[in-house]
Amino acid sequence: MSVMLRTIQTAVPSTVLHQPEVRDVFAAQPGLTRLGQRLISTSFDSAAIDTRYTVVEEFDRDKPVEGEAVFYDGQTNELRRPSTRTRNEVYAAKAPALYIEAARKALEACPDVDPSQVTDLITVSCTGFYNPGPDYQIVRALGLNPATRRYHLGFMGCYAAFPGLRAAADYCKANPDAVALVVCAELCTLHVHSSNDPDTIMGSALFADGAAAALITGRDTGAPGLRLDAFETVLTPVGEESMAWNIGDEGFEMVLGTYVPHIIDEHITGALAPLLAHDPQIDSAASDIEHWAIHPGGRSILDKVQKRLGLDDRQLAPARDVLRDYGNMSSSTVLFVLKDIMDRHLPQADPAGEKLCSMAFGPGLTVESALMTLLPEREIEVE
């Protein structure tokens, strides 16, 4: 049977961060060493990011702040240091709108699927916690069946969209009438703060807020979409200490060692081998797979993947474009990349299908990957 990813829809907050302006704010904070200032300049300027989005309206200098500033005081140009509790309270207040908007758009993009037909709902996030959670809120807000099976994948990091998609595919394989909704929402900018620490500086230069929802069905109706063919999880033999996500007193703290791109460079071919073995028609990664949806964890990671796999600029364009326009939104980012590919290529895709490989990286160092087939609209024989 064919499990189909019918649509991916996205949502971002209204406040836009322009990279040079944010760089200048971070570079002007008190207590920075000369090395810290140089790292800020280098990290922001080399990130290959133009714009990002944030739920923190205080970062918009054109909007007056009511009351005392919590994250950023535009009058003094000072970044504040709210507690983890305060940051998480903002997550609980701001995240629901993004979850619900992305999920609503995914359902609206498939008018043949009624919200009451959704059987499984999987929400994903690593940037905040609350309960009743986003899974509950989506059911209530969108009129899903109260008996919808709900699951939440928390604190897994940038690769977490794949466990969500894999679980949805498994549910649909077990029940062809299943309709699964996977919704990722990350509010990474809640956890930025001034520091001389290289990992913290890198996080401030890269991370952003956004949400994405994917609708998966157990039946292929002939509508355009992505057929979910195979998933694999691989742990690299080194790198456990190089990428991590911890909870501190002043927000969640990222560990992103400078050696991560080199680890990916050394082990990406081996990490892909189990996935590609699912399709005997694939002989070599670059030549036999047309489309690549790589999680843009950073510019240097994309550079290493492109060189090691021998991909051309066109194949990396979706990932680089998402990085440039949105930054790294943790788990939701790879869904933005997949949506870009679907929007660009589905209308004129080969009716026989076009192969797509997608990958994301996260704590561990974990490599999650998926093999998919891009299928345009076509006639399906009804049994």
Side-chain angles (χ1 to χ4, degrees):
M1 63 173 293
S2 297
V3 174
M4 295 297 299
L5 194 166
R6 291 281 307 278
T7 187
I8 296 174
Q9 298 297 322
T10 61
V12 293
S14 59
T15 300
V16 184
L17 298 175
H18 297 279
Q19 191 78 341
E21 295 177 4
V22 182
R23 176 202 61 207
D24 293 345
V25 168
F26 274 83
Q29 297 308 302
L32 291 174
T33 64
R34 289 186 178 180
L35 176 58
Q37 289 178 324
R38 288 199 300 270
L39 286 174
I40 288 171
S41 178
T42 301
S43 298
F44 277 79
D45 291 345
S46 64
I49 294 172
D50 291 343
T51 54
R52 293 178 280 166
Y53 294 82
T54 178
V55 298
V56 182
E57 296 180 359
E58 292 173 359
F59 289 142
D60 186 345
R61 294 181 175 181
D62 296 330
K63 291 183 179 180
V65 176
E66 297 182 3
E68 185 178 354
V70 178
F71 288 87
Y72 173 66
D73 188 337
Q75 299 297 318
T76 63
N77 201 33
E78 180 186 0
L79 288 168
R80 298 296 180 87
R81 305 184 74 91
S83 67
T84 300
R85 175 175 180 170
T86 297
R87 296 174 195 262
N88 195 67
E89 287 174 346
V90 176
Y91 177 92
K94 298 291 188 179
L98 288 176
Y99 275 108
I100 292 168
E101 180 184 353
R104 177 182 288 114
K105 289 165 70 175
L107 288 167
E108 290 175 347
C110 299
D112 59 310
V113 177
D114 189 89
S116 64
Q117 294 176 290
V118 174
T119 57
D120 299 272
L121 172 62
I122 304 164
T123 53
V124 180
S125 187
C126 68
T127 48
F129 302 92
Y130 62 95
N131 204 6
D135 51 329
Y136 174 91
Q137 293 170 323
I138 290 170
V139 169
R140 290 298 197 197
L142 301 185
L144 305 190
N145 188 331
T148 299
R149 293 181 290 266
R150 297 180 285 122
Y151 317 86
H152 183 73
L153 300 180
F155 221 68
M156 298 183 78
C158 293
Y159 64 78
F162 285 98
L165 292 177
R166 182 173 57 239
D170 288 342
Y171 303 150
C172 290
K173 288 176 183 177
N175 175 17
D177 293 323
V179 176
L181 193 58
V182 178
V183 191
C184 302
E186 303 287 9
L187 276 58
C188 304
T189 64
L190 294 180
H191 302 289
V192 302
H193 55 268
S194 178
S195 175
N196 288 299
D197 176 68
D199 288 343
T200 303
I201 291 171
M202 182 62 68
S204 301
L206 288 176
F207 283 102
D209 303 348
L215 191 139
I216 297 97
T217 63
R219 292 193 184 276
D220 184 358
T221 64
L226 289 171
R227 189 180 69 212
L228 302 181
D229 298 326
F231 293 89
E232 285 290 343
T233 301
V234 172
L235 303 181
T236 59
V238 295
E240 181 177 350
E241 73 290 343
S242 298
M243 188 181 291
W245 190 227
N246 303 310
I247 298 178
D249 292 334
E250 296 179 343
F252 298 171
E253 300 171 349
M254 183 194 70
V255 176
L256 183 61
T258 57
Y259 197 61
V260 167
H262 301 284
I263 296 172
I264 292 174
D265 182 33
E266 292 173 3
H267 299 285
I268 190 65
T269 304
L272 272 178
L275 179 75
L276 302 185
H278 285 275
D279 191 332
Q281 296 181 342
I282 296 177
D283 295 324
S284 62
S287 61
D288 294 334
I289 298 177
E290 177 72 11
H291 305 288
W292 290 81
I294 310 299
H295 167 65
R299 179 192 57 78
S300 58
I301 289 176
L302 293 179
D303 290 346
K304 293 292 186 182
V305 170
Q306 179 171 4
K307 184 177 180 180
R308 175 63 64 178
L309 298 181
L311 306 179
D312 59 37
D313 290 342
R314 177 187 57 82
Q315 290 171 305
L316 262 290
R320 294 193 189 277
D321 288 353
V322 167
L323 181 64
R324 180 194 65 221
D325 296 338
Y326 297 97
N328 183 342
M329 300 165 286
S330 192
S331 69
S332 59
T333 320
V334 74
L335 295 181
F336 275 68
V337 180
L338 284 166
K339 173 177 168 54
D340 183 284
I341 294 174
M342 294 174 74
D343 291 346
R344 291 189 198 207
H345 299 289
L346 260 181
Q348 67 272 13
D350 188 328
E354 298 175 3
K355 290 297 180 184
L356 183 153
C357 182
S358 187
M359 289 183 293
F361 320 97
L365 201 153
T366 302
V367 181
E368 289 278 356
S369 60
L371 196 60
M372 309 178 187
T373 301
L374 198 71
L375 292 169
E377 188 171 7
R378 61 220 178 281
E379 294 291 333
I380 296 292
E381 293 186 7
V382 180
E383 297 181 357

